């Protein structure tokens, strides 16, 4: 396990933004799409905050988690598990399938990767021994 406080701070900030969006935003863009973009960035940063994982695998895994949740929505997993009506679970797992969400997840993974690389360029091959993060 590692500890990256910068990533942890981003997780806390994004979590607060996601809560505000979930509780107060009822529109056709911010909640359904921007919220998904931010959720994947949050997962990416969460993985990077505590695991010895590099940015690209973290971005791929964060996208995969989003895609898995979206697939659960397509098969109505919440209903199959009898969890409809549990507000927190519905907020976290979502309630309706939307193909465009996969694009939002990809955008979030791309943004997370680009920002991670821009703030930590030394991890990407300066040629110096030990310059690559594990």
């Amino acid at each position: 396990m590692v500890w990256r406080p910068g990533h942890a701070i981003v997780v806390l900030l994004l979590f607060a933004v996601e809560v505000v969006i979930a509780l107060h935003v009822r529109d056709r863009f911010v909640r359904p799409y921007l919220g998904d973009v931010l959720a994947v960035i949050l997962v990416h940063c969460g993985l990077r905050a505590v695991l010895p994982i590099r940015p690209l695998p973290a971005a791929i895994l964060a996208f995969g988690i989003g895609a898995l949740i979206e697939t659960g929505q397509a098969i109505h997993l919440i209903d199959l598990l009898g969890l409809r009506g549990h507000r927190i679970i519905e907020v976290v797992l979502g309630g309706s399938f939307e193909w465009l969400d996969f694009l939002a997840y990809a955008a979030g993974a791309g943004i997370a990767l680009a920002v991670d690389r821009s703030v930590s360029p030394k991890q990407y091959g300066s040629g110096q021994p030990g310059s690559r993060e594990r």
Side-chain angles (χ1 to χ4, degrees):
M1 189 160 126
V2 299
W3 178 245
R4 294 184 182 100
H7 285 87
I9 290 168
V10 171
V11 168
L12 294 174
L13 292 173
L14 286 177
F15 182 76
V17 169
E18 289 282 24
V19 168
V20 169
I21 289 172
L23 296 176
H24 302 292
V25 178
R26 302 282 182 258
D27 71 346
R28 300 178 107 175
F29 178 74
V30 172
R31 183 177 173 114
Y33 301 113
L34 183 59
D36 287 347
V37 169
L38 295 176
V40 170
I41 296 170
L42 183 152
V43 171
H44 171 90
C45 290
L47 293 168
R48 295 272 295 140
V50 297
L51 296 177
I53 188 172
R54 295 176 62 177
L56 181 58
I60 292 169
L61 185 56
F63 172 83
I65 290 168
L68 188 62
I69 290 171
E70 196 66 28
T71 302
Q73 293 172 7
I75 64 169
H76 306 283
L77 184 62
I78 289 177
D79 295 321
L80 293 172
L81 296 175
L83 298 174
R84 180 72 60 196
H86 296 304
R87 182 76 175 130
I88 293 174
I89 291 173
E90 288 182 2
V91 168
V92 172
L93 298 181
S96 62
F97 176 79
E98 173 66 50
W99 282 107
L100 288 176
D101 288 350
F102 288 101
L103 293 176
Y105 302 144
I111 292 167
L113 182 60
V115 171
D116 208 334
R117 285 185 168 189
S118 72
V119 299
S120 304
K122 67 180 179 233
Q123 297 176 25
Y124 299 95
S126 66
Q128 300 298 321
S131 66
R132 303 208 35 110
E133 181 179 307
R134 295 194 193 283

